[in-house]
Amino acid sequence: MTLCLSGGVGKGKRTGKSMIRDITIGQYYPGDSPIHRLDPRVKLFGTLIYIISLFIFKGVAAFVLAAIFLVAAIKLSGVPFFYMVKGLKAIVVLMVITGLFHLFFTQGTPLVSFGALTVTREGLKNAALMLVRLALLIIGTSLMTLTTTPNQLTDGLEKSLAPLSKIGIPVHEIAMMMSIALRFIPILIEETDKIMKAQAARGADFESGNIFRKVKAMIPLLIPLFVSAFRRANDLALAMEARCYRGGAGRTKMKPLCYRKCDYAAYAVLFLYLASMIALRFVWIRMSVFLEW
Amino acid sequence: MSIILDKVNYVYGAGTAYEAQALKNVSLKIEDGEFIGLIGHTGSGKSTLIQHLNGLIRAASGGIYYNGEDIYDRDYDMRGLRSKVGLVFQYPEHQLFETTIFEDVCFGPLNQGLSKKEAGVRAFEALNCVGIPEELYYQSPFDLSGGQKRRVAIAGVLAMKPEVLILDEPTAGLDPGGRDEILDQIAKMHREQGITVLLVSHCMEDIAKYVGRIIVMNQGEVLFDGAPEKVFEHYRELEAIGLGAPSVTNFLHGLLERGLPVNARAITVEAAKHEILEMIAERKRR
């Protein structure tokens, strides 16, 4: 699962403090599209299948099919394209490095050379292929996190991994910890923002000075934050116990996950897509064999 | 000395799916030495508004002038502003962090660049002002009761000697005794030291008893602004946005509706008692 912290850190440049209120977690984009309504398990498996398909394909036709599939899903989700590309920003550096490596270190027919570095035809092709692959991968997983709330995702994971509890893995407890952790991230961010502002109102300065001063300046922020995190954890544990929470055994759900017609339809579309990707791969190998021959 | 807000707008989460306009064209003038009550329903923008007053949040558009100087000027001393406009947040006890109460209160004055000695004097005065007994000064702030922690936190802001004191719901979660004590101390400071006080609250009784002017916020806009008696005349509109007038004002309006010729402008219990006795005396005379 990809958790993306995105948002306006350091917005109020001149007011000095990076008020971190705008951060969204899991970058969920609220909506009521067919994609939003899908069972989270379908989206989890769908993303997995999509990732696999990206690594088995070869050739331009498969590229186009993968891209069309993704664009269709994005259109259906109603999430503005801008949000998808936001996810790419985080890995720009990785993409540039990968691209350069493929460009310069692939053996083959030389095109241009800069001193010791030579750009080959194969290198150019590989770099382009890798970049498109990475972009599709990130946009594909972003689509899942944008259309599924973190809680739905953990529910989906819990149900999908349920068989593991037979061999003694506490699946429910892990899922519960994940959802509590996710739930607490925005609360703690808000708390941090509040304490930062409160200390700033008392003249605290979190920005100027050398590293030691900066670390020291964090003390008035961190101590109240830890105190409040422990207080909240205590309150939550008490509240859960007061409602007789005893872990996963025999526990039912308020909104149990169950597949509906559209979920089966989505699975059908997914497998159709996977099948055509595999078919394309074989066609491509045949064609290349034919061409070489 | 005054604070002027000119058409201030603020938007939360601009450019995201959760965009919300918190302030819409808010224009206000706060004069020196006023005691103002700021009321409004949850989410009406009052907390956002007060954070503008000491520059913690920057307005999306509009201007704020402190003593005639634009606080958004490039070379305006924002930290200086923060020590002139003291802001006590909601649940201020959550910001305590030092090992002793005394040191915690010294934090603000030390940040202002005062010497240890001067800061100590300030802390002593402030703690004295909020009524913390001296034997507690060198204890951990985490060992205090809720009401005491709140008072220490307020002292932490008072020690900076602000010209304007803003308090966001200073009585939330306190028992009636603790509530009256804190409000009485604030009123005393306003009277004796002449500082400007802006009190955010949604308890009409608190507001009616102390303040000289009320500003009512609703959905990011200033709905009413004036003397308490004037504002509470709109008690029906206030009820419509979930606020309402003090119970005693409602009671007088009830009497009026039932045909008793009482002056319904009273907003405190004492004033209402006076009005009712007056009305009874008047009837006897006839």
Side-chain angles (χ1 to χ4, degrees):
Chain A
M1 191 164 57
T2 47
L3 263 181
C4 287
L5 286 167
S6 60
V9 178
K11 228 177 158 188
K13 259 177 228 137
R14 251 201 340 105
T15 46
K17 304 287 160 307
S18 46
M19 298 307 173
I20 39 184
R21 186 167 179 129
D22 302 336
I23 287 177
T24 51
I25 256 309
Q27 56 173 211
Y28 179 64
Y29 183 90
D32 192 31
S33 70
I35 303 273
H36 281 84
R37 283 195 300 267
L38 280 182
D39 190 291
R41 285 170 291 173
V42 179
K43 284 185 265 189
L44 275 170
F45 286 124
T47 311
L48 194 67
I49 286 176
Y50 190 72
I51 294 173
I52 293 170
S53 79
L54 288 179
F55 285 92
I56 59 171
F57 80 52
K58 268 198 171 128
V60 180
F63 262 133
V64 174
L65 180 62
I68 289 176
F69 182 74
L70 191 60
V71 168
I74 292 172
K75 270 267 167 274
L76 204 59
S77 74
V79 180
F81 193 70
F82 156 73
Y83 282 86
M84 306 285 166
V85 190
K86 252 166 119 179
L88 283 183
K89 254 195 248 163
I91 61 149
V92 161
V93 179
L94 181 76
M95 284 176 78
V96 169
I97 293 174
T98 317
L100 288 179
F101 263 90
H102 278 278
L103 202 55
F104 290 120
F105 298 105
T106 312
Q107 307 288 328
T109 347
L111 282 181
V112 208
S113 71
F114 308 94
L117 298 169
T118 313
V119 177
T120 62
R121 235 181 91 167
E122 284 76 8
L124 200 63
K125 210 181 98 187
N126 272 353
L129 186 90
M130 210 55 210
L131 288 187
V132 172
R133 202 173 253 173
L134 273 176
L136 289 176
L137 184 91
I138 294 297
I139 296 177
T141 42
S142 298
L143 181 65
M144 176 181 75
T145 50
L146 280 164
T147 57
T148 322
T149 62
N151 275 336
Q152 280 179 324
L153 270 183
T154 39
D155 269 4
L157 270 180
E158 183 183 351
K159 189 103 184 219
S160 313
L161 300 178
L164 290 179
S165 60
K166 294 222 170 67
I167 56 164
I169 294 173
V171 175
H172 167 81
E173 280 71 14
I174 292 172
M176 179 59 93
M177 283 195 292
M178 266 172 73
S179 37
I180 290 175
L182 285 173
R183 180 66 194 84
F184 266 67
I185 291 170
I187 292 179
L188 288 179
I189 287 175
E190 207 169 292
E191 192 89 27
T192 311
D193 185 45
K194 217 192 100 181
I195 297 170
M196 267 175 96
K197 281 179 174 170
Q199 306 297 27
R202 294 166 78 192
D205 182 2
F206 297 107
E207 292 195 335
S208 55
N210 58 21
I211 183 106
F212 293 106
R213 277 200 64 147
K214 273 187 193 162
V215 170
K216 235 188 127 195
M218 294 304 275
I219 293 172
L221 172 63
L222 289 179
I223 290 178
L225 191 63
F226 273 96
V227 169
S228 102
F230 281 118
R231 193 187 58 236
R232 280 178 196 282
N234 248 330
D235 289 353
L236 181 69
L238 204 64
M240 285 170 83
E241 269 176 20
R243 290 167 209 186
C244 305
Y245 178 79
R246 289 176 299 122
R251 194 174 162 78
T252 55
K253 287 229 172 255
M254 185 173 161
K255 290 180 193 158
L257 291 177
C258 62
Y259 286 127
R260 287 170 307 164
K261 260 186 200 153
C262 55
D263 297 314
Y264 291 117
Y267 271 129
V269 172
L270 271 171
F271 282 112
L272 198 67
Y273 163 76
L274 188 65
S276 37
M277 287 301 262
I278 294 171
L280 269 177
R281 183 186 165 91
F282 283 116
V283 170
W284 186 256
I285 290 172
R286 282 270 177 78
M287 268 171 68
S288 47
V289 169
F290 176 75
L291 283 176
E292 262 172 45
W293 184 70
Chain B
M1 267 186 275
S2 63
I3 304 175
I4 297 170
L5 276 75
D6 183 28
K7 292 193 186 123
V8 170
N9 279 289
Y10 188 76
V11 183
Y12 275 117
T16 69
Y18 301 96
E19 187 172 306
Q21 180 144 21
L23 293 180
K24 287 176 216 154
N25 279 327
V26 174
S27 295
L28 281 177
K29 184 165 188 207
I30 297 170
E31 296 286 359
D32 194 22
E34 275 191 296
F35 196 150
I36 301 177
L38 182 62
I39 57 176
H41 206 255
T42 317
S44 62
K46 30 184 208 328
S47 294
T48 312
L49 176 67
I50 56 172
Q51 289 175 40
H52 278 83
L53 298 180
N54 71 348
L56 282 174
I57 311 187
R58 194 185 163 84
S61 73
I64 299 177
Y65 305 89
Y66 186 78
N67 293 342
E69 285 176 77
D70 186 352
I71 68 164
Y72 295 143
D73 245 0
R74 188 161 287 280
D75 47 357
Y76 189 81
D77 176 17
M78 203 57 109
R79 288 186 69 191
L81 176 70
R82 288 194 189 136
S83 63
K84 286 183 208 137
V85 181
L87 177 53
V88 180
F89 275 84
Q90 225 176 83
Y91 297 103
E93 58 273 27
H94 294 170
Q95 76 193 24
L96 301 176
F97 70 97
E98 273 289 2
T99 43
T100 70
I101 291 166
F102 195 75
E103 279 177 70
D104 203 285
V105 178
C106 283
F107 180 67
L110 287 176
N111 283 332
Q112 283 177 304
L114 296 181
S115 71
K116 261 208 158 128
K117 210 170 171 185
E118 286 170 303
V121 173
R122 292 278 192 91
F124 187 83
E125 281 174 8
L127 283 168
N128 198 23
C129 185
V130 295
I132 295 287
E134 258 175 73
E135 60 266 27
L136 293 178
Y137 283 12
Y138 298 100
Q139 285 193 15
S140 163
F142 298 102
D143 293 337
L144 297 176
S145 74
Q148 284 173 324
K149 275 189 201 166
R150 174 100 29 116
R151 277 187 271 159
V152 169
I154 293 176
V157 173
L158 285 180
M160 298 173 75
K161 290 230 165 140
E163 294 164 357
V164 179
L165 181 64
I166 303 170
L167 300 115
D168 193 354
E169 305 251 1
T171 59
L174 292 186
D175 55 75
R179 192 185 71 198
D180 290 347
E181 233 173 277
I182 284 188
L183 289 175
D184 283 340
Q185 270 150 2
I186 293 165
K188 196 174 134 206
M189 273 184 292
H190 170 250
R191 244 189 347 260
E192 290 173 0
Q193 299 169 22
I195 53 175
T196 312
V197 180
L198 185 65
L199 182 69
V200 179
S201 178
H202 48 230
C203 175
M204 298 304 141
E205 271 75 17
D206 286 359
I207 294 264
K209 196 169 159 194
Y210 295 100
V211 306
R213 173 181 166 196
I214 290 182
I215 298 168
V216 183
M217 298 276 299
N218 187 39
Q219 296 184 342
E221 288 173 296
V222 175
L223 190 63
F224 301 114
D225 182 356
E229 291 81 6
K230 284 268 179 219
V231 169
F232 287 133
E233 273 174 13
H234 303 281
Y235 67 104
R236 288 205 196 283
E237 286 105 310
L238 288 176
E239 260 164 37
I241 58 166
L243 291 169
S247 331
V248 59
T249 311
N250 285 337
F251 173 71
L252 290 176
H253 278 290
L255 288 180
L256 198 62
E257 273 161 33
R258 282 181 173 70
L260 290 173
V262 68
N263 182 358
R265 288 186 70 179
I267 51 168
T268 60
V269 177
E270 283 73 35
K273 177 181 150 199
H274 181 74
E275 290 295 341
I276 292 171
L277 288 176
E278 194 111 294
M279 186 262 296
I280 293 171
E282 183 79 5
R283 295 191 110 193
K284 270 189 188 160
R285 251 179 268 148
R286 279 195 207 149

